[in-house]
Amino acid sequence: MAVYVDFARIEFKGYRWCHMLADTLQELHEFAELINVDKRLFHRNASYPHYDITVEMRVIAIEYGAIPADRKKIIECAKKLKVELNSQMVISDHCE
């Protein structure tokens, strides 16, 4: 299991942002909590679930073991996380 950060540098509100993903949602959320990423930065309704993090947070993430990943790896992770999130949503719909 691993956490990944991409190489994006998206300018928004005076910061440069990139994306953080992981092999599983649980690992992603646990890692985000470990490095104090605000839960509001999790994007569950985006084209794929991920955290937006600043490039400064990216440095911290790498210091804690996140792996800089190329586009191919990010897309691979993104697809798995989307499937996992969708299956969780289906399960929660059935439990209500």
Side-chain angles (χ1 to χ4, degrees):
M1 300 292 172
V3 175
Y4 306 95
V5 290
D6 67 9
F7 293 93
R9 299 288 188 272
I10 301 161
E11 296 279 339
F12 184 70
K13 293 191 176 187
Y15 295 95
R16 291 176 300 146
W17 299 84
C18 60
H19 306 103
M20 184 170 72
L21 299 93
D23 288 328
T24 68
L25 288 170
Q26 179 178 346
E27 186 173 23
L28 179 59
H29 293 306
E30 288 174 358
F31 192 84
E33 186 175 335
L34 174 70
I35 64 169
N36 296 314
V37 175
D38 191 314
K39 291 177 183 180
R40 294 175 294 179
L41 296 175
F42 179 65
H43 294 272
R44 77 172 49 252
N45 296 321
S47 55
Y48 59 90
H50 67 279
Y51 278 90
D52 283 341
I53 60 171
T54 64
V55 293
E56 293 80 12
M57 287 188 229
R58 182 182 186 275
V59 171
I60 294 167
I62 292 169
E63 288 172 356
Y64 276 79
I67 301 165
D70 62 14
R71 182 172 169 76
K72 181 180 176 186
K73 184 64 178 177
I74 294 296
I75 290 171
E76 175 189 317
C77 261
K79 288 178 180 179
K80 287 193 303 187
L81 290 177
K82 188 167 189 165
V83 167
E84 184 182 351
L85 182 65
N86 288 339
S87 69
Q88 286 180 359
M89 291 170 68
V90 168
I91 290 168
S92 69
D93 287 345
H94 290 291
C95 293
E96 292 178 0

